[in-house]
Each structure stands twice: as C-alpha cells, then as structure tokens.
Amino acid sequence: MKKSILGALLTVLGVMSVAAQPRVYDQENTGAQYALKQFKNPSELPVVRSLPDALEGVAGFGDWERRRNEIGSLIQHYGIGTKPAVEAGQVKARMQGDTLLVVDVTVGGQTLTLQSQIRYPEVGQPPYALMIGTDMIALPRQLFQGRPVAMMTFASAQVNDYKQFGRHHDRGEHHFDRLYPQLKDNGAYSEWAWGMSRLIDGLQQLGPEVTKIDTRRIGVTGCSYAGKMALYCGAFDERIALVVAQEPGGGGAAAWRASHETTENVEDIDKTDYHWFLESQKEHFSGDNVYRLPYDQHELCAMVCPRALLLLGNPDYPWLSDPAMRVSADAASKVWERFGIGDRFGCDIVGGHGHCQLPMSQYAVTQQFIDRFLLY
C-alpha cells in the first residue's frame, strides 16, 4: 500500500516555488543568539496532548530564525544533549592525496581527527554537489549515475563509537568526551551532528579549489538509526541543502506522542536506544509524561526549513512507527507551506520491500529532490 504527502508535487508538475526563501546558508546556525537560556523543570511543564505548535509566535519568515533556535534549544536540553559550537581556529583541514579529507578539531588541548574519502563523479565539472552518507549511503547508486554529484561517508565511530551490536565504549569514554568531558551525558545524536558539522567546516575552510566541492550544494542521507542521524545533522546545520531521511523510525521523524498512543509494538519514547538520547529524557518523559515534552519530532523536521527535506517510510516494519511519522509530516509540512515553499518538503511511505532497500516506486521522488536541490 502506498501513502504519500508530497510537497514535491509542484515540482512534478514543473511549477517552481514563487517564494524567494534561501535554499541554504553559509553558516552552521544562523540566529544562535536566540537560543534559550532558561528551561523549566520537567515536572513544571504543562501537559499538552496535541502536537506543540512549531509556528508559535511566527508572523512571517523573519521570525523563523528565532523560532528555529528556540526549538533547537528545547531538543538539546530535554532530548539529545548539547551540540557545542566550535570556533574557526579550532578546526584545521587538509587533503591527504587527492581524495581524503582530514579534519583536526582541537578543544581544551585535545584533538579529534575525522577522515572521509571523497568519491568524485565521472561526469560534469568541479565544483561538484556532494551527498554525505551517515555511516553509508543506502540510496541506490542508480540515483546518482550520470549526475555530477560527489559522495562521501561520515564515519560516526570517529566521534562516538557506540554501536547497537558488538563491543563499544559507554558514556564518558568516547572520543568526543575527551574534548567535552562536561558533556559526557550527551546522547549520540548531538555528538554525531557535531561531527558532521566539523567535516563541513573542513570543506569550507579548504574551499572548492582544493576539495572540488560546492559547499552550497551538500546533501545528507542515511537509513534506520542513520536516517535519524541524517535528520539531526540536517536539522542542526543550515549549510546542508538537502536531507533525505530513509526509514528513520521512532526518535527520528515519528512523533513521540503519536507513537505512545498506538497499540502496536513500535519504537517510542520508552523503547528506544538510550545511548542515542539523554537518559534523563526517559526519566522525565516516559509513559504519559510524554505529553509534558515541550516539543515533538515534527519540530525537529521543521528545523530543516527553508532547506529541503524528504522523509521515506516503509510500513512493512511496524517498529518504525510510520503512522506517527505521518502525523509528524502532516504537522511539519505546514511550516514550509506557511513560507510558500511547500515543494521543498516531501514524505513518501511505501511498503513491499526490505528495510533500507529503496523500491523503484520511490526512485522518482528521491531523484526529483536530488536533482532539484543539489543540481540547481
């Protein structure tokens, strides 16, 4: 069965957005001065059963910079932990050989090194658009064939070597924690988003003459836990022009409130991997206390606006809580629509295929987003 809500329908019809909202920014986070400084104790937060209003206090696009930072502050404080800002002088980038990007980040006398191989296309001329995979690119290679899009992978273990399976370090023992011991309680998604941003810092620092990459045409994609990762990375870095979150499940695009209300066994706020989130999130917002959470995942999605976001679902796997992602998508789409750019958001949920195996029926919409928002 196929369900879809596609802001991309305007594109399919060949109609371009009439709005002039930015497609991407050259800063990691515009409006950082609007970040919240004070937060209520969880027990003092009101019970709100409906999804919070992502557009609260927003009269026009000029208010969105402030509102986006308010939402981001809430998500960090109550959900994933702090994504620390980094000064330009703390990052040193270089190319090793022709294709290996190396980025050294030094904080408090400690250095963390990130490396990623850039695979350049065989067509077109530099500088190229770039698609970054969170641990891998699960999208079929056919979507990139014959297109001037470079590819690289963000290896999350270089920042936080937590894995769902096998041996791994615990909180306080990660590479990230050497630089930020005060943030040892962070969830992995804030740390992974931080690492992605440092790679983009490196690309910007070296410039297109060295990297052959156009940093205004960067996309991020991932599937399953890495689909969540791609969504958090894109939400918290405005230099990413396109986010394709494939089957991101609970804790990604699926609304926590809607997941809590289903009778199916889904990944909800009680049953997710708490290496990914602040352990205090479960302590304070489990069960019916989820209604005290001052945000929900539709607002994480909305943080990508005015840039482009495509959510891809698979209802054959109930654990992914795709009906709750639908709830989020319906709510988040209103943000893009408010600013006259509804065609920059899409959600497509299609069954009949394996987990992280994009079916051909989703090739067209995925291709449209890649072509429109990376190859313009």
Side-chain angles (χ1 to χ4, degrees):
M1 180 177 67
K2 178 174 180 177
K3 301 177 181 179
S4 64
I5 57 168
L6 296 175
L9 283 176
L10 291 177
T11 305
V12 175
L13 295 171
V15 180
M16 301 298 287
S17 171
V18 297
Q21 312 303 359
R23 286 173 173 261
V24 71
Y25 297 84
D26 59 7
Q27 300 176 49
E28 178 180 348
N29 182 27
T30 62
Q33 70 272 20
Y34 295 114
L36 298 175
K37 302 296 191 297
Q38 295 183 328
F39 303 88
K40 291 184 178 180
N41 291 327
S43 61
E44 298 172 345
L45 292 165
V47 171
V48 179
R49 293 189 172 271
S50 58
L51 292 185
D53 182 7
L55 289 164
E56 181 180 354
V58 174
F61 186 71
D63 297 317
W64 180 241
E65 183 179 280
R66 170 192 55 78
R67 179 58 179 152
R68 180 184 166 277
N69 274 274
E70 291 174 353
I71 293 168
S73 299
L74 295 173
I75 292 172
Q76 289 176 81
H77 183 77
Y78 294 108
I80 63 173
T82 300
K83 179 191 177 188
V86 172
E87 297 178 3
Q90 294 175 303
V91 177
K92 300 296 182 186
R94 63 190 185 276
M95 293 296 290
Q96 186 172 310
D98 294 330
T99 62
L100 184 65
L101 173 67
V102 182
V103 180
D104 295 321
V105 189
T106 302
V107 178
Q110 294 288 321
T111 298
L112 186 155
T113 299
L114 301 170
Q115 298 184 358
S116 186
Q117 200 85 31
I118 303 175
R119 302 190 302 278
Y120 295 103
E122 297 179 353
V123 299
Q125 297 294 322
Y128 300 107
L130 176 68
M131 180 63 83
I132 306 176
T134 46
D135 282 342
M136 67 174 293
I137 296 177
L139 296 175
R141 291 296 186 266
Q142 297 96 302
L143 297 178
F144 301 96
Q145 288 176 350
R147 286 173 167 79
V149 181
M151 292 192 236
M152 64 186 286
T153 296
F154 165 54
S156 66
Q158 295 180 104
V159 175
N160 175 330
D161 69 344
Y162 169 70
K163 308 177 186 67
Q164 285 181 281
F165 308 104
R167 296 181 61 184
H168 59 80
H169 290 119
D170 289 315
R171 279 183 167 91
E173 301 174 338
H174 300 297
H175 305 303
F176 175 91
D177 299 323
R178 291 191 290 104
L179 278 62
Y180 301 102
Q182 74 278 17
L183 299 178
K184 64 179 179 60
D185 293 330
N186 267 17
Y189 284 122
S190 61
E191 299 176 2
W192 288 335
W194 175 91
M196 174 69 75
S197 291
R198 306 294 69 84
L199 281 183
I200 297 174
D201 286 346
L203 292 168
Q204 278 190 323
Q205 186 181 105
L206 293 174
E209 296 80 9
V210 176
T211 66
K212 303 179 185 177
I213 297 301
D214 181 350
T215 54
R216 292 188 65 81
R217 294 188 291 145
I218 294 176
V220 171
T221 187
C223 189
S224 197
Y225 84 92
K228 296 180 185 49
M229 195 191 311
L231 182 53
Y232 281 101
C233 289
F236 283 94
D237 196 319
E238 293 182 288
R239 297 170 295 183
I240 294 169
L242 169 64
V243 180
V244 181
Q246 190 178 357
E247 302 181 42
W256 288 126
R257 285 167 170 80
S259 293
H260 175 64
E261 292 168 356
T262 185
T263 57
E264 292 200 75
N265 182 31
V266 301
E267 183 179 11
D268 60 16
I269 206 163
D270 299 302
K271 301 189 295 292
T272 190
D273 189 325
Y274 267 90
H275 289 90
W276 295 336
F277 303 95
L278 291 169
E279 291 181 332
S280 59
Q281 177 184 261
K282 185 173 184 180
E283 176 186 349
H284 296 304
F285 301 108
S286 61
D288 286 345
N289 282 328
V290 71
Y291 299 118
R292 293 187 182 275
L293 194 68
Y295 66 90
D296 214 317
Q297 299 304 95
H298 67 298
E299 292 176 295
L300 172 69
C301 297
M303 283 181 66
V304 178
C305 184
R307 298 162 294 126
L309 172 62
L310 176 62
L311 304 174
L312 299 169
N314 184 350
D316 293 352
Y317 294 81
W319 178 254
L320 297 175
S321 197
D322 276 350
M325 183 169 79
R326 169 74 57 197
V327 170
S328 269
D330 286 339
S333 66
K334 292 178 173 57
V335 176
W336 277 267
E337 290 166 3
R338 169 70 72 85
F339 305 133
I341 49 174
D343 52 333
R344 298 185 191 179
F345 175 84
C347 176
D348 201 44
I349 301 175
V350 177
H353 59 96
H355 184 43
C356 296
Q357 303 296 312
L358 193 78
M360 291 197 69
S361 58
Q362 288 185 319
Y363 278 28
V365 66
T366 309
Q367 192 78 77
Q368 288 156 12
F369 269 75
I370 292 169
D371 289 354
R372 173 123 190 254
F373 298 110
L374 292 188
L375 298 179
Y376 61 91

